[in-house]
Amino acid sequence: MVVPVIDFSKLDGAERTETLAQIANGCEEWGFFQLVNHGIPLELLERVKKVCSDCYRLREAGFKASEPVRTLEALVDAERRGEEVAPVDDLDWEDIFFIHDGCQWPSDPSAFKKTIREYRAELRKLAERVMEAMDENLGLTKGTIKDAFSGGGRHEPFFGTKVSHYPPCPRPDLITGLRAHTDAGGVILLFQDDRVGGLEVLKDGQWIDVQPLAGAIVINTGDQIEVLSNGRYRSAWHRVLPMRDGNRRSIASFYNPANEATISPAAVQGSSGGETYPKYVFGDYMDVYVKQKFQAKEPRFEAVKAAAPKSSPAA
């Protein structure tokens, strides 16, 4: 099995119907697909790769002194002493930092801010085009998902970016790159390394490589898209395996609802009485998610359902 690769430029041509069907298949059957010819200039993507790699070089010493490295070194030392050791299940072999419009960005390398601002502007537009394709496939009015994410236009959807590196790992059998999880938010757009693999998605009980593909943007659907579509689209479990060779670069951006947005299938489709997911405020879901990220998602939905205020009986 291979993660679907979709030529996004054909959405505007004679093959629009076929392209929409490919996107629907990616959302319904995989929760993951890759876009090529997506409209983001390849020259910009090359600059993004450079500034992020340059940024990691400035952070590398910090990673080498980090808890995952110290923990792995301690396990290897214990093993050399003849002790029995077990793989680490609560740490990730990952260097990360987050950026969004309201936080302080790295000032070094000097080109980082300008390049990533330009990239994020292009990526936000791409995310909204992808959501419009989802709208159409779900039989919704154009802009419906974006409107739900903004609380009916009252709030700004959250758009954040996570810059990650997975450095070479001497003992990938003892630690994970990134533990298996589903993403909490809406539409995730990943610009992954085009040489070093490691990203896998769970499909029909099997872990499948998300194959490195130069210039592609990987799309995956988060928990909120699953809820809004009433389960027609599913958020997919995925993980990153550590690699002995190569420093994997990963730049994931998240187009999420505003914290104040109310999420439920009825938010986009109207109440039909057949909703299988609860109604809740996205910020409340995130409060649960940060504590249960690497656990099954269904209890998260139950937790926010239980926490939701009950409607008052009619007088």
Side-chain angles (χ1 to χ4, degrees), residues 83-118:
E83 299 175 21
E84 186 174 342
V85 300
V88 178
D89 62 3
D90 60 352
L91 287 174
D92 300 309
W93 189 262
E94 178 185 34
D95 175 78
I96 61 172
F97 64 93
F98 293 90
I99 53 177
H100 55 83
D101 290 341
C103 75
Q104 185 173 357
W105 291 29
S107 57
D108 198 6
S110 59
F112 183 87
K113 288 184 181 179
K114 179 180 183 298
T115 300
I116 298 301
R117 282 200 181 104
E118 185 179 346

PDB file of all heavy atoms in Angstrom, residues 83-118:
ATOM      1  N   GLU A  83      22.916  -5.329  32.692  1.00  0.00           N
ATOM      2  CA  GLU A  83      21.563  -5.173  33.226  1.00  0.00           C
ATOM      3  C   GLU A  83      20.539  -5.310  32.099  1.00  0.00           C
ATOM      4  O   GLU A  83      20.810  -4.986  30.934  1.00  0.00           O
ATOM      5  CB  GLU A  83      21.418  -3.803  33.898  1.00  0.00           C
ATOM      6  CG  GLU A  83      22.362  -3.594  35.072  1.00  0.00           C
ATOM      7  CD  GLU A  83      22.258  -2.185  35.635  1.00  0.00           C
ATOM      8  OE1 GLU A  83      21.222  -1.515  35.394  1.00  0.00           O
ATOM      9  OE2 GLU A  83      23.216  -1.752  36.302  1.00  0.00           O
ATOM     10  N   GLU A  84      19.368  -5.774  32.455  1.00  0.00           N
ATOM     11  CA  GLU A  84      18.273  -5.865  31.483  1.00  0.00           C
ATOM     12  C   GLU A  84      17.596  -4.500  31.374  1.00  0.00           C
ATOM     13  O   GLU A  84      17.278  -3.877  32.391  1.00  0.00           O
ATOM     14  CB  GLU A  84      17.259  -6.914  31.930  1.00  0.00           C
ATOM     15  CG  GLU A  84      16.172  -7.162  30.902  1.00  0.00           C
ATOM     16  CD  GLU A  84      15.253  -8.305  31.299  1.00  0.00           C
ATOM     17  OE1 GLU A  84      15.642  -9.118  32.167  1.00  0.00           O
ATOM     18  OE2 GLU A  84      14.136  -8.368  30.739  1.00  0.00           O
ATOM     19  N   VAL A  85      17.414  -4.019  30.158  1.00  0.00           N
ATOM     20  CA  VAL A  85      16.804  -2.706  29.950  1.00  0.00           C
ATOM     21  C   VAL A  85      15.572  -2.839  29.066  1.00  0.00           C
ATOM     22  O   VAL A  85      15.462  -3.769  28.266  1.00  0.00           O
ATOM     23  CB  VAL A  85      17.796  -1.693  29.325  1.00  0.00           C
ATOM     24  CG1 VAL A  85      19.002  -1.485  30.231  1.00  0.00           C
ATOM     25  CG2 VAL A  85      18.230  -2.150  27.935  1.00  0.00           C
ATOM     26  N   ALA A  86      14.640  -1.906  29.235  1.00  0.00           N
ATOM     27  CA  ALA A  86      13.407  -1.878  28.437  1.00  0.00           C
ATOM     28  C   ALA A  86      13.365  -0.577  27.635  1.00  0.00           C
ATOM     29  O   ALA A  86      13.875   0.462  28.089  1.00  0.00           O
ATOM     30  CB  ALA A  86      12.183  -1.981  29.343  1.00  0.00           C
ATOM     31  N   PRO A  87      12.785  -0.609  26.451  1.00  0.00           N
ATOM     32  CA  PRO A  87      12.683   0.623  25.653  1.00  0.00           C
ATOM     33  C   PRO A  87      11.934   1.723  26.410  1.00  0.00           C
ATOM     34  O   PRO A  87      11.013   1.448  27.182  1.00  0.00           O
ATOM     35  CB  PRO A  87      11.903   0.181  24.409  1.00  0.00           C
ATOM     36  CG  PRO A  87      12.124  -1.298  24.328  1.00  0.00           C
ATOM     37  CD  PRO A  87      12.222  -1.772  25.739  1.00  0.00           C
ATOM     38  N   VAL A  88      12.326   2.954  26.159  1.00  0.00           N
ATOM     39  CA  VAL A  88      11.668   4.125  26.743  1.00  0.00           C
ATOM     40  C   VAL A  88      10.318   4.307  26.066  1.00  0.00           C
ATOM     41  O   VAL A  88      10.216   4.260  24.835  1.00  0.00           O
ATOM     42  CB  VAL A  88      12.529   5.384  26.538  1.00  0.00           C
ATOM     43  CG1 VAL A  88      11.830   6.609  27.091  1.00  0.00           C
ATOM     44  CG2 VAL A  88      13.890   5.206  27.185  1.00  0.00           C
ATOM     45  N   ASP A  89       9.268   4.504  26.862  1.00  0.00           N
ATOM     46  CA  ASP A  89       7.938   4.668  26.262  1.00  0.00           C
ATOM     47  C   ASP A  89       7.294   6.009  26.603  1.00  0.00           C
ATOM     48  O   ASP A  89       6.110   6.213  26.329  1.00  0.00           O
ATOM     49  CB  ASP A  89       7.011   3.526  26.678  1.00  0.00           C
ATOM     50  CG  ASP A  89       6.785   3.473  28.188  1.00  0.00           C
ATOM     51  OD1 ASP A  89       7.297   4.348  28.915  1.00  0.00           O
ATOM     52  OD2 ASP A  89       6.100   2.540  28.642  1.00  0.00           O
ATOM     53  N   ASP A  90       8.065   6.936  27.180  1.00  0.00           N
ATOM     54  CA  ASP A  90       7.480   8.228  27.549  1.00  0.00           C
ATOM     55  C   ASP A  90       8.338   9.409  27.114  1.00  0.00           C
ATOM     56  O   ASP A  90       8.185  10.525  27.624  1.00  0.00           O
ATOM     57  CB  ASP A  90       7.238   8.285  29.063  1.00  0.00           C
ATOM     58  CG  ASP A  90       8.525   8.126  29.876  1.00  0.00           C
ATOM     59  OD1 ASP A  90       9.582   7.821  29.279  1.00  0.00           O
ATOM     60  OD2 ASP A  90       8.470   8.301  31.110  1.00  0.00           O
ATOM     61  N   LEU A  91       9.257   9.186  26.167  1.00  0.00           N
ATOM     62  CA  LEU A  91      10.090  10.251  25.618  1.00  0.00           C
ATOM     63  C   LEU A  91      10.194  10.083  24.108  1.00  0.00           C
ATOM     64  O   LEU A  91      10.050   8.971  23.582  1.00  0.00           O
ATOM     65  CB  LEU A  91      11.502  10.216  26.221  1.00  0.00           C
ATOM     66  CG  LEU A  91      11.678  10.670  27.671  1.00  0.00           C
ATOM     67  CD1 LEU A  91      13.115  10.408  28.116  1.00  0.00           C
ATOM     68  CD2 LEU A  91      11.332  12.131  27.842  1.00  0.00           C
ATOM     69  N   ASP A  92      10.471  11.181  23.414  1.00  0.00           N
ATOM     70  CA  ASP A  92      10.643  11.147  21.964  1.00  0.00           C
ATOM     71  C   ASP A  92      12.027  11.674  21.593  1.00  0.00           C
ATOM     72  O   ASP A  92      12.524  12.632  22.195  1.00  0.00           O
ATOM     73  CB  ASP A  92       9.569  12.004  21.279  1.00  0.00           C
ATOM     74  CG  ASP A  92       8.167  11.520  21.595  1.00  0.00           C
ATOM     75  OD1 ASP A  92       7.908  10.320  21.421  1.00  0.00           O
ATOM     76  OD2 ASP A  92       7.336  12.347  22.029  1.00  0.00           O
ATOM     77  N   TRP A  93      12.626  11.053  20.588  1.00  0.00           N
ATOM     78  CA  TRP A  93      13.952  11.439  20.098  1.00  0.00           C
ATOM     79  C   TRP A  93      13.766  12.572  19.078  1.00  0.00           C
ATOM     80  O   TRP A  93      13.847  12.393  17.875  1.00  0.00           O
ATOM     81  CB  TRP A  93      14.636  10.232  19.459  1.00  0.00           C
ATOM     82  CG  TRP A  93      16.066  10.430  19.102  1.00  0.00           C
ATOM     83  CD1 TRP A  93      16.562  10.749  17.875  1.00  0.00           C
ATOM     84  CD2 TRP A  93      17.202  10.290  19.967  1.00  0.00           C
ATOM     85  NE1 TRP A  93      17.932  10.833  17.915  1.00  0.00           N
ATOM     86  CE2 TRP A  93      18.354  10.553  19.189  1.00  0.00           C
ATOM     87  CE3 TRP A  93      17.350   9.975  21.319  1.00  0.00           C
ATOM     88  CZ2 TRP A  93      19.641  10.499  19.729  1.00  0.00           C
ATOM     89  CZ3 TRP A  93      18.628   9.917  21.854  1.00  0.00           C
ATOM     90  CH2 TRP A  93      19.750  10.182  21.059  1.00  0.00           C
ATOM     91  N   GLU A  94      13.498  13.771  19.600  1.00  0.00           N
ATOM     92  CA  GLU A  94      13.032  14.857  18.743  1.00  0.00           C
ATOM     93  C   GLU A  94      13.466  16.201  19.321  1.00  0.00           C
ATOM     94  O   GLU A  94      13.339  16.445  20.523  1.00  0.00           O
ATOM     95  CB  GLU A  94      11.501  14.793  18.656  1.00  0.00           C
ATOM     96  CG  GLU A  94      10.848  15.878  17.836  1.00  0.00           C
ATOM     97  CD  GLU A  94       9.330  15.808  17.903  1.00  0.00           C
ATOM     98  OE1 GLU A  94       8.786  15.430  18.968  1.00  0.00           O
ATOM     99  OE2 GLU A  94       8.688  16.160  16.903  1.00  0.00           O
ATOM    100  N   ASP A  95      13.968  17.061  18.466  1.00  0.00           N
ATOM    101  CA  ASP A  95      14.207  18.459  18.829  1.00  0.00           C
ATOM    102  C   ASP A  95      13.101  19.295  18.203  1.00  0.00           C
ATOM    103  O   ASP A  95      12.880  19.218  16.990  1.00  0.00           O
ATOM    104  CB  ASP A  95      15.569  18.936  18.314  1.00  0.00           C
ATOM    105  CG  ASP A  95      15.788  20.420  18.584  1.00  0.00           C
ATOM    106  OD1 ASP A  95      16.115  20.766  19.729  1.00  0.00           O
ATOM    107  OD2 ASP A  95      15.608  21.220  17.640  1.00  0.00           O
ATOM    108  N   ILE A  96      12.402  20.082  18.993  1.00  0.00           N
ATOM    109  CA  ILE A  96      11.242  20.818  18.478  1.00  0.00           C
ATOM    110  C   ILE A  96      11.191  22.236  19.020  1.00  0.00           C
ATOM    111  O   ILE A  96      11.689  22.527  20.108  1.00  0.00           O
ATOM    112  CB  ILE A  96       9.909  20.114  18.820  1.00  0.00           C
ATOM    113  CG1 ILE A  96       9.721  20.015  20.346  1.00  0.00           C
ATOM    114  CG2 ILE A  96       9.819  18.760  18.181  1.00  0.00           C
ATOM    115  CD1 ILE A  96       8.359  19.522  20.764  1.00  0.00           C
ATOM    116  N   PHE A  97      10.579  23.104  18.225  1.00  0.00           N
ATOM    117  CA  PHE A  97      10.090  24.381  18.740  1.00  0.00           C
ATOM    118  C   PHE A  97       8.853  24.776  17.941  1.00  0.00           C
ATOM    119  O   PHE A  97       8.668  24.337  16.801  1.00  0.00           O
ATOM    120  CB  PHE A  97      11.156  25.476  18.729  1.00  0.00           C
ATOM    121  CG  PHE A  97      11.663  25.878  17.364  1.00  0.00           C
ATOM    122  CD1 PHE A  97      11.085  26.941  16.667  1.00  0.00           C
ATOM    123  CD2 PHE A  97      12.737  25.218  16.784  1.00  0.00           C
ATOM    124  CE1 PHE A  97      11.561  27.320  15.428  1.00  0.00           C
ATOM    125  CE2 PHE A  97      13.213  25.586  15.532  1.00  0.00           C
ATOM    126  CZ  PHE A  97      12.627  26.647  14.857  1.00  0.00           C
ATOM    127  N   PHE A  98       7.996  25.565  18.568  1.00  0.00           N
ATOM    128  CA  PHE A  98       6.719  25.971  17.976  1.00  0.00           C
ATOM    129  C   PHE A  98       6.736  27.460  17.673  1.00  0.00           C
ATOM    130  O   PHE A  98       7.314  28.254  18.435  1.00  0.00           O
ATOM    131  CB  PHE A  98       5.563  25.671  18.926  1.00  0.00           C
ATOM    132  CG  PHE A  98       5.309  24.212  19.147  1.00  0.00           C
ATOM    133  CD1 PHE A  98       5.944  23.528  20.170  1.00  0.00           C
ATOM    134  CD2 PHE A  98       4.434  23.504  18.333  1.00  0.00           C
ATOM    135  CE1 PHE A  98       5.722  22.187  20.385  1.00  0.00           C
ATOM    136  CE2 PHE A  98       4.199  22.155  18.539  1.00  0.00           C
ATOM    137  CZ  PHE A  98       4.846  21.500  19.571  1.00  0.00           C
ATOM    138  N   ILE A  99       6.075  27.838  16.599  1.00  0.00           N
ATOM    139  CA  ILE A  99       5.905  29.244  16.285  1.00  0.00           C
ATOM    140  C   ILE A  99       4.461  29.505  15.865  1.00  0.00           C
ATOM    141  O   ILE A  99       3.805  28.643  15.273  1.00  0.00           O
ATOM    142  CB  ILE A  99       6.862  29.729  15.170  1.00  0.00           C
ATOM    143  CG1 ILE A  99       6.766  28.839  13.927  1.00  0.00           C
ATOM    144  CG2 ILE A  99       8.297  29.807  15.666  1.00  0.00           C
ATOM    145  CD1 ILE A  99       7.624  29.305  12.780  1.00  0.00           C
ATOM    146  N   HIS A 100       3.977  30.669  16.209  1.00  0.00           N
ATOM    147  CA  HIS A 100       2.678  31.154  15.743  1.00  0.00           C
ATOM    148  C   HIS A 100       2.726  32.673  15.786  1.00  0.00           C
ATOM    149  O   HIS A 100       3.738  33.269  16.200  1.00  0.00           O
ATOM    150  CB  HIS A 100       1.533  30.582  16.586  1.00  0.00           C
ATOM    151  CG  HIS A 100       1.654  30.823  18.054  1.00  0.00           C
ATOM    152  ND1 HIS A 100       1.257  31.996  18.658  1.00  0.00           N
ATOM    153  CD2 HIS A 100       2.135  30.038  19.055  1.00  0.00           C
ATOM    154  CE1 HIS A 100       1.481  31.936  19.950  1.00  0.00           C
ATOM    155  NE2 HIS A 100       2.019  30.751  20.223  1.00  0.00           N
ATOM    156  N   ASP A 101       1.663  33.304  15.359  1.00  0.00           N
ATOM    157  CA  ASP A 101       1.694  34.759  15.205  1.00  0.00           C
ATOM    158  C   ASP A 101       1.891  35.499  16.516  1.00  0.00           C
ATOM    159  O   ASP A 101       2.368  36.631  16.528  1.00  0.00           O
ATOM    160  CB  ASP A 101       0.406  35.243  14.521  1.00  0.00           C
ATOM    161  CG  ASP A 101       0.342  34.825  13.068  1.00  0.00           C
ATOM    162  OD1 ASP A 101       1.398  34.503  12.497  1.00  0.00           O
ATOM    163  OD2 ASP A 101      -0.773  34.812  12.497  1.00  0.00           O
ATOM    164  N   GLY A 102       1.545  34.871  17.632  1.00  0.00           N
ATOM    165  CA  GLY A 102       1.615  35.571  18.909  1.00  0.00           C
ATOM    166  C   GLY A 102       2.822  35.254  19.757  1.00  0.00           C
ATOM    167  O   GLY A 102       2.880  35.648  20.922  1.00  0.00           O
ATOM    168  N   CYS A 103       3.825  34.548  19.188  1.00  0.00           N
ATOM    169  CA  CYS A 103       4.980  34.170  20.012  1.00  0.00           C
ATOM    170  C   CYS A 103       6.262  34.775  19.456  1.00  0.00           C
ATOM    171  O   CYS A 103       6.288  35.340  18.358  1.00  0.00           O
ATOM    172  CB  CYS A 103       5.105  32.650  20.089  1.00  0.00           C
ATOM    173  SG  CYS A 103       5.750  31.879  18.587  1.00  0.00           S
ATOM    174  N   GLN A 104       7.330  34.657  20.234  1.00  0.00           N
ATOM    175  CA  GLN A 104       8.627  35.151  19.793  1.00  0.00           C
ATOM    176  C   GLN A 104       9.275  34.130  18.866  1.00  0.00           C
ATOM    177  O   GLN A 104       9.346  32.951  19.186  1.00  0.00           O
ATOM    178  CB  GLN A 104       9.533  35.407  21.001  1.00  0.00           C
ATOM    179  CG  GLN A 104      10.865  36.049  20.631  1.00  0.00           C
ATOM    180  CD  GLN A 104      11.671  36.445  21.855  1.00  0.00           C
ATOM    181  OE1 GLN A 104      11.207  36.287  22.984  1.00  0.00           O
ATOM    182  NE2 GLN A 104      12.866  36.951  21.641  1.00  0.00           N
ATOM    183  N   TRP A 105       9.759  34.592  17.725  1.00  0.00           N
ATOM    184  CA  TRP A 105      10.367  33.707  16.738  1.00  0.00           C
ATOM    185  C   TRP A 105      11.887  33.768  16.842  1.00  0.00           C
ATOM    186  O   TRP A 105      12.446  34.759  17.290  1.00  0.00           O
ATOM    187  CB  TRP A 105       9.955  34.136  15.329  1.00  0.00           C
ATOM    188  CG  TRP A 105       8.518  33.916  14.998  1.00  0.00           C
ATOM    189  CD1 TRP A 105       7.455  33.906  15.857  1.00  0.00           C
ATOM    190  CD2 TRP A 105       7.976  33.692  13.704  1.00  0.00           C
ATOM    191  NE1 TRP A 105       6.284  33.681  15.168  1.00  0.00           N
ATOM    192  CE2 TRP A 105       6.577  33.555  13.846  1.00  0.00           C
ATOM    193  CE3 TRP A 105       8.535  33.597  12.430  1.00  0.00           C
ATOM    194  CZ2 TRP A 105       5.735  33.316  12.768  1.00  0.00           C
ATOM    195  CZ3 TRP A 105       7.699  33.368  11.347  1.00  0.00           C
ATOM    196  CH2 TRP A 105       6.319  33.226  11.518  1.00  0.00           C
ATOM    197  N   PRO A 106      12.577  32.715  16.395  1.00  0.00           N
ATOM    198  CA  PRO A 106      14.041  32.766  16.362  1.00  0.00           C
ATOM    199  C   PRO A 106      14.531  33.918  15.486  1.00  0.00           C
ATOM    200  O   PRO A 106      13.977  34.170  14.407  1.00  0.00           O
ATOM    201  CB  PRO A 106      14.429  31.413  15.753  1.00  0.00           C
ATOM    202  CG  PRO A 106      13.273  30.518  16.028  1.00  0.00           C
ATOM    203  CD  PRO A 106      12.056  31.393  15.974  1.00  0.00           C
ATOM    204  N   SER A 107      15.528  34.615  15.951  1.00  0.00           N
ATOM    205  CA  SER A 107      16.106  35.711  15.166  1.00  0.00           C
ATOM    206  C   SER A 107      17.376  35.284  14.441  1.00  0.00           C
ATOM    207  O   SER A 107      17.939  36.054  13.661  1.00  0.00           O
ATOM    208  CB  SER A 107      16.415  36.899  16.088  1.00  0.00           C
ATOM    209  OG  SER A 107      17.284  36.502  17.134  1.00  0.00           O
ATOM    210  N   ASP A 108      17.815  34.080  14.697  1.00  0.00           N
ATOM    211  CA  ASP A 108      19.012  33.546  14.081  1.00  0.00           C
ATOM    212  C   ASP A 108      18.690  32.124  13.599  1.00  0.00           C
ATOM    213  O   ASP A 108      18.160  31.327  14.395  1.00  0.00           O
ATOM    214  CB  ASP A 108      20.153  33.521  15.102  1.00  0.00           C
ATOM    215  CG  ASP A 108      21.530  33.387  14.476  1.00  0.00           C
ATOM    216  OD1 ASP A 108      21.607  33.433  13.235  1.00  0.00           O
ATOM    217  OD2 ASP A 108      22.506  33.225  15.227  1.00  0.00           O
ATOM    218  N   PRO A 109      18.899  31.831  12.321  1.00  0.00           N
ATOM    219  CA  PRO A 109      19.531  32.639  11.279  1.00  0.00           C
ATOM    220  C   PRO A 109      18.669  33.834  10.870  1.00  0.00           C
ATOM    221  O   PRO A 109      17.444  33.816  11.046  1.00  0.00           O
ATOM    222  CB  PRO A 109      19.689  31.650  10.127  1.00  0.00           C
ATOM    223  CG  PRO A 109      18.616  30.632  10.343  1.00  0.00           C
ATOM    224  CD  PRO A 109      18.482  30.493  11.827  1.00  0.00           C
ATOM    225  N   SER A 110      19.316  34.832  10.314  1.00  0.00           N
ATOM    226  CA  SER A 110      18.642  36.105  10.044  1.00  0.00           C
ATOM    227  C   SER A 110      17.496  35.973   9.047  1.00  0.00           C
ATOM    228  O   SER A 110      16.535  36.735   9.101  1.00  0.00           O
ATOM    229  CB  SER A 110      19.662  37.132   9.544  1.00  0.00           C
ATOM    230  OG  SER A 110      20.305  36.668   8.366  1.00  0.00           O
ATOM    231  N   ALA A 111      17.579  35.003   8.134  1.00  0.00           N
ATOM    232  CA  ALA A 111      16.537  34.846   7.104  1.00  0.00           C
ATOM    233  C   ALA A 111      15.341  34.050   7.605  1.00  0.00           C
ATOM    234  O   ALA A 111      14.356  33.904   6.880  1.00  0.00           O
ATOM    235  CB  ALA A 111      17.131  34.180   5.866  1.00  0.00           C
ATOM    236  N   PHE A 112      15.391  33.540   8.832  1.00  0.00           N
ATOM    237  CA  PHE A 112      14.342  32.632   9.298  1.00  0.00           C
ATOM    238  C   PHE A 112      12.968  33.306   9.313  1.00  0.00           C
ATOM    239  O   PHE A 112      11.998  32.771   8.768  1.00  0.00           O
ATOM    240  CB  PHE A 112      14.684  32.091  10.692  1.00  0.00           C
ATOM    241  CG  PHE A 112      13.692  31.092  11.213  1.00  0.00           C
ATOM    242  CD1 PHE A 112      13.821  29.745  10.919  1.00  0.00           C
ATOM    243  CD2 PHE A 112      12.609  31.484  11.998  1.00  0.00           C
ATOM    244  CE1 PHE A 112      12.909  28.816  11.378  1.00  0.00           C
ATOM    245  CE2 PHE A 112      11.694  30.568  12.471  1.00  0.00           C
ATOM    246  CZ  PHE A 112      11.842  29.231  12.155  1.00  0.00           C
ATOM    247  N   LYS A 113      12.858  34.459   9.955  1.00  0.00           N
ATOM    248  CA  LYS A 113      11.549  35.089  10.115  1.00  0.00           C
ATOM    249  C   LYS A 113      10.908  35.398   8.776  1.00  0.00           C
ATOM    250  O   LYS A 113       9.734  35.072   8.542  1.00  0.00           O
ATOM    251  CB  LYS A 113      11.683  36.370  10.939  1.00  0.00           C
ATOM    252  CG  LYS A 113      11.957  36.155  12.415  1.00  0.00           C
ATOM    253  CD  LYS A 113      11.976  37.493  13.152  1.00  0.00           C
ATOM    254  CE  LYS A 113      12.267  37.307  14.626  1.00  0.00           C
ATOM    255  NZ  LYS A 113      12.318  38.609  15.340  1.00  0.00           N
ATOM    256  N   LYS A 114      11.644  36.041   7.896  1.00  0.00           N
ATOM    257  CA  LYS A 114      11.083  36.431   6.600  1.00  0.00           C
ATOM    258  C   LYS A 114      10.657  35.202   5.805  1.00  0.00           C
ATOM    259  O   LYS A 114       9.549  35.162   5.236  1.00  0.00           O
ATOM    260  CB  LYS A 114      12.111  37.236   5.809  1.00  0.00           C
ATOM    261  CG  LYS A 114      11.630  37.666   4.417  1.00  0.00           C
ATOM    262  CD  LYS A 114      12.708  38.469   3.696  1.00  0.00           C
ATOM    263  CE  LYS A 114      12.199  38.961   2.332  1.00  0.00           C
ATOM    264  NZ  LYS A 114      11.861  37.839   1.425  1.00  0.00           N
ATOM    265  N   THR A 115      11.507  34.187   5.784  1.00  0.00           N
ATOM    266  CA  THR A 115      11.219  32.999   4.990  1.00  0.00           C
ATOM    267  C   THR A 115      10.003  32.251   5.539  1.00  0.00           C
ATOM    268  O   THR A 115       9.098  31.859   4.784  1.00  0.00           O
ATOM    269  CB  THR A 115      12.442  32.068   4.972  1.00  0.00           C
ATOM    270  OG1 THR A 115      13.557  32.775   4.408  1.00  0.00           O
ATOM    271  CG2 THR A 115      12.163  30.810   4.156  1.00  0.00           C
ATOM    272  N   ILE A 116       9.953  32.057   6.841  1.00  0.00           N
ATOM    273  CA  ILE A 116       8.863  31.276   7.421  1.00  0.00           C
ATOM    274  C   ILE A 116       7.553  32.058   7.394  1.00  0.00           C
ATOM    275  O   ILE A 116       6.475  31.454   7.211  1.00  0.00           O
ATOM    276  CB  ILE A 116       9.222  30.818   8.848  1.00  0.00           C
ATOM    277  CG1 ILE A 116      10.458  29.921   8.805  1.00  0.00           C
ATOM    278  CG2 ILE A 116       8.060  30.070   9.479  1.00  0.00           C
ATOM    279  CD1 ILE A 116      10.319  28.678   7.944  1.00  0.00           C
ATOM    280  N   ARG A 117       7.597  33.373   7.538  1.00  0.00           N
ATOM    281  CA  ARG A 117       6.366  34.161   7.383  1.00  0.00           C
ATOM    282  C   ARG A 117       5.804  33.997   5.980  1.00  0.00           C
ATOM    283  O   ARG A 117       4.600  33.818   5.787  1.00  0.00           O
ATOM    284  CB  ARG A 117       6.635  35.639   7.689  1.00  0.00           C
ATOM    285  CG  ARG A 117       6.728  35.967   9.164  1.00  0.00           C
ATOM    286  CD  ARG A 117       6.511  37.450   9.409  1.00  0.00           C
ATOM    287  NE  ARG A 117       6.619  37.756  10.826  1.00  0.00           N
ATOM    288  CZ  ARG A 117       7.651  38.341  11.412  1.00  0.00           C
ATOM    289  NH1 ARG A 117       8.688  38.708  10.675  1.00  0.00           N
ATOM    290  NH2 ARG A 117       7.673  38.586  12.702  1.00  0.00           N
ATOM    291  N   GLU A 118       6.671  34.075   4.982  1.00  0.00           N
ATOM    292  CA  GLU A 118       6.250  33.906   3.588  1.00  0.00           C
ATOM    293  C   GLU A 118       5.680  32.507   3.370  1.00  0.00           C
ATOM    294  O   GLU A 118       4.624  32.334   2.734  1.00  0.00           O
ATOM    295  CB  GLU A 118       7.447  34.158   2.674  1.00  0.00           C
ATOM    296  CG  GLU A 118       7.121  34.144   1.192  1.00  0.00           C
ATOM    297  CD  GLU A 118       8.347  34.429   0.337  1.00  0.00           C
ATOM    298  OE1 GLU A 118       9.379  34.884   0.878  1.00  0.00           O
ATOM    299  OE2 GLU A 118       8.269  34.168  -0.877  1.00  0.00           O
TER     300      GLU A 118
END
